[in-house]
Amino acid sequence: MKELTKIEEILLLAIWKLKDDAYGVKIRKYVSQIVGKDFTYGNLYSALSQLSKKKYVQKTLGEPTPDRRGRRKIYYTLSPAGVKALKTARDMNQKMWEGVSDYAFD
Amino acid sequence: MNRRHPHPPRIAGWILKRTARYEENFAIIGDFDEEFQEVARERGALFARFWYLRHCLRSSPVFIKDSVYWSFIMLKSYLKIAFRSLKKHKGYSFINIFGLAIGMAVCILILMWVLNELSFDRYHEKADHICRVTMDIELGSTLHTPVTLTAVGPALVRDFPEVVTATRIDPPNRASVKYGDKLFQEARVGYAENAIFDIFTFPFVSGDPRTALEAPYSAVITESMAKKYFGDEDPLGKILRINNERDFSVTGVVKDVPPNSHFVFNMLCSFQTYLKEGDVRDDQWFDVRFYTYLLLDENIDIKNLEQKLPAFIDKYLGEAMKASGGSIKLSLQPLKRIHLYSDFERDMSANSDITYVYLFSGIAIFVLCIAAINFINLSTARSSTRAQEVGMRKTLGAVRSRLIGQFLGESLIYSICSMVLAMVLLKLSLPFFNSIIGYGLRLNFVQAPWLIMAFLALAVIVGVFAGSYPAFFLSSFQPVRVLKGFLKVGTSNSHFRRVLVVFQFAISIALITGTLIITRQIMFMKNTNLGFDKEHVVVIPGMNEGLRKSYLSIRGELLSLPGVIDVGASDLVPSRGHLVGSFLPEGFADNQRQTLDYMDVDAHYIPAMGMAFVAGRNFSEELSTDQDESVLINETAAKKFGWDNAVGKRFVFRPPPGQEGETTYVSVIGVVKDFHMQSLRKKIEPLIIFYDSNNLFSVSLRLAPENITHTMDLLKKKWGELDPNRPFNYFFLDDAYDSQYRGEERLKNITFSFSFLAIFIGCLGLFGMASFTAEQRTKEIGIRKVLGASVTGIVRLLAKEFLLLVIVANLIAWPLAYWAMNRWLQSFAYRTGISPLLFGFSAVLAISIALFTVSYQAIRAALSNPVDALRYE
């Protein structure tokens, strides 16, 4: 299995954390907050479609709201493969940062 | 605007809708809208609108990039499916690809030929302003010819400022050319004035185009001829001896004349030579030998100038015309029209005809149509197998446009495979095609990028065209119906397929019939009794003056050779031209001169050729008066003048108008049985034959049929002694006569090849159809067998349907072929009838080929085990 890119890792984590509220607007806000700059919808959906092609996420249709002028939301949830990929990423991160003290770069 | 829900900017919304091509399109716009409302509530509508626009613009490049990326992914999937279906149905795929490839190869081949035909003479820079003078002479009968009066060219330049310059051309002819010990027979040695280089574009390699042909006894040769005679030496100033009579010095070398010219030469001699020798004078009106080409001012309308020509003729020839009761009309023919629109007698080169261009373009389109039709045919026939796939795809969410794209794509893959195959086929078949049409078409993909473009364009057009039916038809299936297995290929659809099969078989049958009729006409022309015996006659043309003077002793020496039966001499021989003159038979008024062909012979020519007398006697060497006072005529001439007993009738020879002299008479001493001087396309013309020992340019020898090779060796040796300065040049009369039908032979070969191709492609289509039907009716056949049907019964059942189609095709093809071939036969004065047997033959041929094609599938289906058939679901 290929490693996740950083942005995929962030996205998968976001979807996991947002649980039942993981749809476009929320994910974008969360990611923008993490990376510290405005993350565009273009990059968001480009990455999301890659993730769904790799079967890391599953899509379900949500309810339309007046703010969305009748357009349904698409909710994303992690697939078992997505969870596994995240786990691998975490293990890798831990190994990578092992032995580096929390204050090493201060 | 709603206060609670401000509206996002329309343009941005539009951009978003267009660019976000994901399946999530609606959700993306929804997300944008939702966040827009949120921002609007927090920071105001205006800010929100800017926010929306900014995000939209920043996102759309990524959206676009991604949609391109995803469509490639889809394309990959389409390709994969296409190749899988290609592999799965190998037989069908082969038929499809191969049939299309043949159609394409033929189409491109003909396209190349057509373009070559249309390119004739167009390379001359001033081609638009060049024309040649043509002439209609009316003197008893009409002569329509591009050979004009000698004085016309100079007089036109003098009288009309719009004529920039003119040249007379003595058409390139055979001549022997000698340099040192190099002696060759050259095919194209002509004479022209220097203005030819102002008019036409013949690039000079060396020498000065302004003066090259100014002086008498100067000559311009082509590059390849210079190489042949002088090798690497400088050709300028070298002396070439022509026909062992005149010496010419080379003053220029031009590039070889391109083959797509109506006027090709290896050597042009100065026309001034004729003028200097006094053979030709610039003011000579009644001299019809040369072609006249004009260069017109750029702003002149040809028609305009043409209208002034009657007055011009009247000015110079009015008097003379009145006296003789004839008329001369001059016309101007634009250079670009010469190759395809000429119908002249005595033209410089055998021109083509625009009808052939149309005819073959039509055939090309036909063959391509047949191939494309097969493609459509097979694709629709296969639609039921693919219908399941379509149903499945639709259920899984494929949109119709995607399906259309998929089927069009598949058909494009097939057509591009065909294109590659067509290129290979073309490369392989080109030499064969060239030998049929007698051309040097060459296939060079590197030098002619248009060819590849043409191939590609053709592939795409045919692919889209052929794929569109299955694409739109299949994609319109209702998934539920298809998956439930209710799909039945509609009856209208199968009607359509039947019509296609009938159409292509009709074409094939018409072509076969055409080939048969052409073959019969050629056989007829070759075997008809010509009025003389053309077999075993060898002709030695081009005797020069010295030889003509000593002809009598030469004849004696030739006769003494073993194997030579008889020797005669004449100015012309059958099949190699004819001369037309106007004569005044006794009993006609002076202004009723009659047009007759004429020829000069010696006393032995007519018996040597095996020509027979109807009345009177032959010329005699013993009677000295025969040379000046006697003539022979043919039967047609006697009939024309109403002379029942022609012997003793006379022709009147008046002195030329304005000149002193006595009126003389010659009397008819014999009537020759009609013989064909020209090909059987032409009627036998009235002919008058003179006995003139000064004009005998060709010797004809009748040889004993045994040991011809040995006799020819002896003859060659003997002739080398008699005429040591020229190569021994001869031809056999039957070859020369038959070669007049080369055009017809070529047509036969072409229709034969096309009918072969058409039937081949048609059969491929029929084969595919038959196998499809057999497959479709597997269950039916199984049940029939279980219930006791015999193998022959089933084969008959399957074959019957197709045979009926072929019979209908016959009924359509017959009138078509009859009409076309009847029209073609009209161009022959002597022709065979169209025998009904030929139609019968082509019908039997077509039916047996169809039967053979169908029976393989039919028998296979009939022999199959009914258990397999009934289990196939």
Side-chain angles (χ1 to χ4, degrees), chain B residues 25-97:
Chain B
N25 181 298
F26 63 92
I28 296 173
I29 300 172
D31 286 351
F32 262 84
D33 281 1
E34 185 184 330
E35 206 168 344
F36 171 77
Q37 301 299 346
E38 212 180 303
V39 175
R41 272 193 294 274
E42 283 168 17
R43 322 213 23 188
L46 191 69
F47 185 87
R49 288 165 73 84
F50 272 112
W51 176 91
Y52 195 101
L53 195 63
R54 194 166 57 93
H55 264 261
C56 171
L57 289 179
R58 279 175 62 196
S59 292
S60 50
V62 184
F63 287 150
I64 293 171
K65 194 193 79 197
D66 265 38
S67 74
V68 171
Y69 169 81
W70 285 108
S71 56
F72 266 109
I73 300 280
M74 280 317 284
L75 194 70
K76 243 173 78 184
S77 132
Y78 291 155
L79 280 176
K80 202 182 269 172
I81 302 241
F83 278 112
R84 272 185 201 155
S85 97
L86 193 147
K87 260 186 8 230
K88 190 172 163 198
H89 305 277
K90 281 199 197 72
Y92 285 125
S93 308
F94 173 76
I95 289 170
N96 263 2
I97 291 175

Side-chain angles (χ1 to χ4, degrees), chain B residues 551 555 567-570 600-606 619 621 691 696:
Chain B
Y551 166 68
R555 176 168 190 272
V567 179
S570 59
D600 296 322
V601 301
D602 76 335
H604 304 282
Y605 185 73
I606 288 179
F619 297 121
E621 258 173 6
Y691 180 12
L696 306 174

Side-chain angles (χ1 to χ4, degrees), chain B residues 284-568:
Chain B
Q284 221 168 359
W285 284 94
F286 284 103
D287 178 44
V288 184
R289 267 189 285 176
F290 306 117
Y291 299 79
T292 306
Y293 287 79
L294 307 178
L295 177 63
L296 304 181
D297 195 278
E298 290 184 12
N299 308 314
I300 293 306
D301 182 28
I302 288 189
K303 287 275 164 267
N304 211 341
L305 180 60
E306 214 168 27
Q307 277 163 11
K308 299 179 187 162
L309 293 178
F312 167 81
I313 285 288
D314 204 44
K315 175 177 162 194
Y316 290 99
L317 296 167
E319 301 276 302
M321 286 294 112
K322 226 171 271 165
S324 63
S327 74
I328 290 182
K329 182 174 164 272
L330 295 184
S331 313
L332 300 176
Q333 183 186 31
L335 176 71
K336 286 180 171 178
R337 290 179 67 86
I338 291 178
H339 182 65
L340 291 173
Y341 297 91
S342 291
D343 57 341
F344 298 103
E345 288 173 61
R346 293 207 251 157
D347 209 335
M348 202 184 285
S349 52
N351 285 320
S352 182
D353 194 332
I354 190 77
T355 346
Y356 283 119
V357 173
Y358 289 137
L359 182 74
F360 289 133
S361 310
I363 291 181
I365 292 170
F366 263 159
V367 173
L368 191 63
C369 277
I370 290 185
I373 282 169
N374 273 341
F375 194 91
I376 299 176
N377 219 343
L378 280 169
S379 309
T380 35
R382 269 173 51 200
S383 54
S384 69
T385 18
R386 299 299 298 275
Q388 303 254 340
E389 180 193 330
V390 173
M392 195 55 88
R393 276 174 182 270
K394 276 196 154 182
T395 320
L396 293 179
V399 232
R400 185 158 180 217
S401 64
R402 284 245 169 95
L403 286 174
I404 292 176
Q406 184 198 332
F407 280 106
L408 281 182
E410 264 181 43
S411 126
L412 276 176
I413 287 170
Y414 275 60
S415 69
I416 285 167
C417 283
S418 304
M419 180 189 107
V420 175
L421 191 60
M423 282 174 158
V424 176
L425 285 176
L426 195 55
K427 193 91 193 166
L428 294 177
S429 66
L430 200 62
F432 174 68
F433 184 69
N434 275 336
S435 75
I436 289 180
I437 64 162
Y439 266 178
L441 292 181
R442 259 179 308 164
L443 190 64
N444 193 334
F445 291 118
V446 184
Q447 271 181 5
W450 68 265
L451 249 178
I452 298 183
M453 294 312 291
F455 262 116
L456 210 62
L458 203 63
V460 170
I461 290 169
V462 171
V464 169
F465 176 68
S468 58
Y469 187 84
F472 290 103
F473 179 63
L474 284 184
S475 64
S476 70
F477 288 162
Q478 293 236 323
V480 180
R481 280 182 59 211
V482 176
L483 289 178
K484 269 180 147 178
F486 279 138
L487 185 95
K488 190 168 179 295
V489 181
T491 41
S492 66
N493 182 26
S494 80
H495 277 313
F496 174 64
R497 269 183 279 139
R498 285 206 184 105
V499 169
L500 296 181
V501 166
V502 167
F503 174 67
Q504 42 186 273
F505 259 82
I507 292 173
S508 313
I509 293 164
L511 281 170
I512 294 175
T513 318
T515 311
L516 291 173
I517 292 174
I518 295 171
T519 313
R520 239 172 82 101
Q521 172 67 11
I522 293 173
M523 269 163 59
F524 167 78
M525 290 193 293
K526 287 190 173 168
N527 299 334
T528 299
N529 183 2
L530 298 171
F532 61 90
D533 184 5
K534 67 177 174 173
E535 309 296 326
H536 313 304
V537 175
V538 63
V539 179
I540 305 172
M543 291 213 293
N544 60 22
E545 211 178 334
L547 292 169
R548 293 202 295 275
K549 285 220 169 84
S550 53
Y551 166 68
L552 276 183
S553 66
I554 289 174
R555 176 168 190 272
E557 295 203 38
L558 292 176
L559 262 181
S560 68
L561 292 175
V564 174
I565 298 175
D566 204 350
V567 179

